[in-house]
Protein backbone atom coordinates (compact mmCIF):
# COMPACT_ATOMS: atom_id res chain seq x y z
CA UNK A 1 0.00 0.00 0.00
CA UNK A 2 1.47 3.36 -1.02
CA UNK A 3 1.77 6.38 1.27
CA UNK A 4 -1.03 8.08 -0.66
CA UNK A 5 -3.38 5.13 -0.14
CA UNK A 6 -2.52 5.01 3.57
CA UNK A 7 -3.21 8.74 3.88
CA UNK A 8 -6.59 8.38 2.18
CA UNK A 9 -7.55 5.48 4.47
CA UNK A 10 -6.37 7.33 7.61
CA UNK A 11 -8.24 10.49 6.61
CA UNK A 12 -11.37 8.43 5.97
CA UNK A 13 -11.16 6.84 9.41
CA UNK A 14 -10.61 10.22 11.03
CA UNK A 15 -13.61 11.66 9.20
CA UNK A 16 -15.82 8.84 10.50
CA UNK A 17 -14.53 9.28 14.06
CA UNK A 18 -15.08 13.04 13.86
CA UNK A 19 -18.63 12.52 12.61
CA UNK A 20 -19.31 10.10 15.47
CA UNK A 21 -18.02 12.57 18.01
CA UNK A 22 -20.10 15.39 16.58
CA UNK A 23 -23.32 13.38 16.36
CA UNK A 24 -25.66 13.14 19.34
CA UNK A 25 -25.69 9.66 20.85
CA UNK A 26 -28.56 7.47 19.66
CA UNK A 27 -31.21 6.56 22.21
CA UNK A 28 -30.78 2.81 21.59
CA UNK A 29 -27.12 1.75 21.43
CA UNK A 30 -27.95 -1.97 21.18
CA UNK A 31 -28.82 -1.67 17.49
CA UNK A 32 -25.42 -0.24 16.52
CA UNK A 33 -22.58 -2.42 15.22
CA UNK A 34 -19.61 -2.85 17.55
CA UNK A 35 -17.28 -1.49 14.88
CA UNK A 36 -18.02 0.27 11.63
CA UNK A 37 -18.53 -2.01 8.58
CA UNK A 38 -15.84 -0.19 6.55
CA UNK A 39 -13.26 -1.11 9.20
CA UNK A 40 -13.39 -4.89 8.72
CA UNK A 41 -11.30 -6.84 6.23
CA UNK A 42 -14.04 -9.00 4.71
CA UNK A 43 -17.56 -8.43 3.43
CA UNK A 44 -18.94 -11.72 4.81
CA UNK A 45 -20.02 -12.30 8.40
CA UNK A 46 -17.10 -13.03 10.70
CA UNK A 47 -19.34 -13.80 13.69
CA UNK A 48 -19.44 -16.88 15.84
CA UNK A 49 -17.56 -17.77 18.96
CA UNK A 50 -13.98 -18.16 20.04
CA UNK A 51 -12.83 -20.93 22.36
CA UNK A 52 -9.89 -20.00 24.55
CA UNK A 53 -8.03 -22.59 26.61
CA UNK A 54 -6.12 -21.06 29.52
CA UNK A 55 -2.92 -23.11 29.76
CA UNK A 56 -2.38 -21.77 33.29
CA UNK A 57 -5.53 -23.44 34.62
CA UNK A 58 -6.73 -25.76 31.85
CA UNK A 59 -10.12 -24.02 31.79
CA UNK A 60 -12.00 -23.42 28.53
CA UNK A 61 -13.74 -20.12 27.84
CA UNK A 62 -16.19 -19.29 25.05
CA UNK A 63 -16.16 -15.70 23.85
CA UNK A 64 -18.75 -14.39 21.36
CA UNK A 65 -17.39 -12.87 18.14
CA UNK A 66 -19.50 -10.19 16.47
CA UNK A 67 -20.47 -10.29 12.80
CA UNK A 68 -17.70 -7.73 12.24
CA UNK A 69 -15.06 -10.07 13.70
CA UNK A 70 -14.57 -8.29 17.03
CA UNK A 71 -14.66 -9.46 20.62
CA UNK A 72 -15.44 -7.25 23.59
CA UNK A 73 -12.39 -6.72 25.77
CA UNK A 74 -14.58 -7.04 28.86
CA UNK A 75 -15.29 -10.67 27.88
CA UNK A 76 -11.64 -11.47 28.63
CA UNK A 77 -12.09 -10.41 32.27
CA UNK A 78 -13.75 -13.75 32.98
CA UNK A 79 -10.43 -15.51 32.25
CA UNK A 80 -8.82 -15.71 35.69
CA UNK A 81 -6.48 -17.93 37.67
CA UNK A 82 -8.58 -17.76 40.82
CA UNK A 83 -10.66 -15.61 43.13
CA UNK A 84 -7.94 -12.99 43.71
CA UNK A 85 -7.28 -12.54 39.97
CA UNK A 86 -9.28 -9.71 38.35
CA UNK A 87 -9.05 -11.25 34.87
CA UNK A 88 -7.06 -10.63 31.73
CA UNK A 89 -6.31 -7.11 30.60
CA UNK A 90 -5.53 -6.05 27.05
CA UNK A 91 -2.31 -4.26 26.17
CA UNK A 92 -2.40 -2.56 22.79
CA UNK A 93 0.65 -0.29 22.42
CA UNK A 94 -0.08 2.53 20.02
CA UNK A 95 -3.71 1.40 19.73
CA UNK A 96 -2.74 -0.55 16.60
CA UNK A 97 -5.52 -3.13 17.08
CA UNK A 98 -8.17 -1.02 18.80
CA UNK A 99 -11.44 -0.61 16.96
CA UNK A 100 -12.90 2.90 16.66
CA UNK A 101 -15.77 3.66 19.00
CA UNK A 102 -18.06 6.57 19.68
CA UNK A 103 -16.95 9.15 22.24
CA UNK A 104 -18.39 12.51 23.11
CA UNK A 105 -15.57 13.26 25.56
CA UNK A 106 -12.31 13.04 23.64
CA UNK A 107 -11.01 13.11 20.09
CA UNK A 108 -7.61 11.83 19.01
CA UNK A 109 -6.17 12.92 15.66
CA UNK A 110 -2.93 10.96 15.42
CA UNK A 111 -1.47 12.44 12.24
CA UNK A 112 -0.97 15.96 13.63
CA UNK A 113 -0.73 14.66 17.22
CA UNK A 114 -3.92 16.35 18.45
CA UNK A 115 -5.84 15.32 21.55
CA UNK A 116 -9.02 17.24 22.27
CA UNK A 117 -11.15 16.98 25.38
CA UNK A 118 -14.75 18.12 24.72
CA UNK A 119 -13.40 20.03 21.72
CA UNK A 120 -10.62 21.84 23.60
CA UNK A 121 -6.97 21.06 22.80
CA UNK A 122 -5.49 19.21 25.77
CA UNK A 123 -2.50 21.58 25.84
CA UNK A 124 -4.83 24.53 26.31
CA UNK A 125 -6.65 22.82 29.16
CA UNK A 126 -3.46 21.75 30.92
CA UNK A 127 -1.84 25.18 30.65
CA UNK A 128 -4.72 27.53 31.40
CA UNK A 129 -7.60 25.67 33.07
CA UNK A 130 -8.22 24.69 36.66
CA UNK A 131 -9.14 21.19 37.77
CA UNK A 132 -12.73 22.28 38.39
CA UNK A 133 -13.04 23.76 34.91
CA UNK A 134 -11.86 20.52 33.32
CA UNK A 135 -14.03 18.42 35.65
CA UNK A 136 -17.06 20.52 34.64
CA UNK A 137 -16.57 19.35 31.05
CA UNK A 138 -17.37 15.80 32.20
CA UNK A 139 -20.85 16.85 33.28
CA UNK A 140 -21.77 18.40 29.90
Amino acid sequence: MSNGEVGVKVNGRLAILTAHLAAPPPSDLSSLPIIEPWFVSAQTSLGGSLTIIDERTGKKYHVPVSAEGAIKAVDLKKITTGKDDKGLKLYDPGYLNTAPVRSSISDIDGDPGMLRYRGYPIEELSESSTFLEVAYLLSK
Side-chain angles (χ1 to χ4, degrees), residues 6-23:
V6 170
V8 168
K9 187 175 273 190
V10 167
N11 286 334
R13 290 178 180 171
L14 291 173
I16 296 291
L17 289 172
T18 302
H20 286 187
L21 291 169

Side-chain angles (χ1 to χ4, degrees), residues 49-52 54 56-57 59-65 71-83 85-89:
S49 68
L50 176 67
T51 301
I52 299 172
D54 187 343
R56 303 169 300 172
T57 63
K59 291 183 185 175
K60 278 188 179 182
Y61 299 89
H62 299 283
V63 178
V65 179
I71 65 169
K72 294 181 180 177
V74 73
D75 287 339
L76 298 180
K77 286 183 71 174
K78 64 184 174 183
I79 302 174
T80 68
T81 58
K83 67 176 186 169
D85 185 356
K86 296 188 189 293
L88 286 181
K89 310 287 185 285

Side-chain angles (χ1 to χ4, degrees), residues 10-52:
V10 167
N11 286 334
R13 290 178 180 171
L14 291 173
I16 296 291
L17 289 172
T18 302
H20 286 187
L21 291 169
S27 57
D28 180 18
L29 295 176
S30 64
S31 65
L32 295 175
I34 294 173
I35 58 177
E36 297 300 321
W38 56 265
F39 193 72
V40 297
S41 57
Q43 297 300 319
T44 60
S45 175
L46 301 173
S49 68
L50 176 67
T51 301
I52 299 172

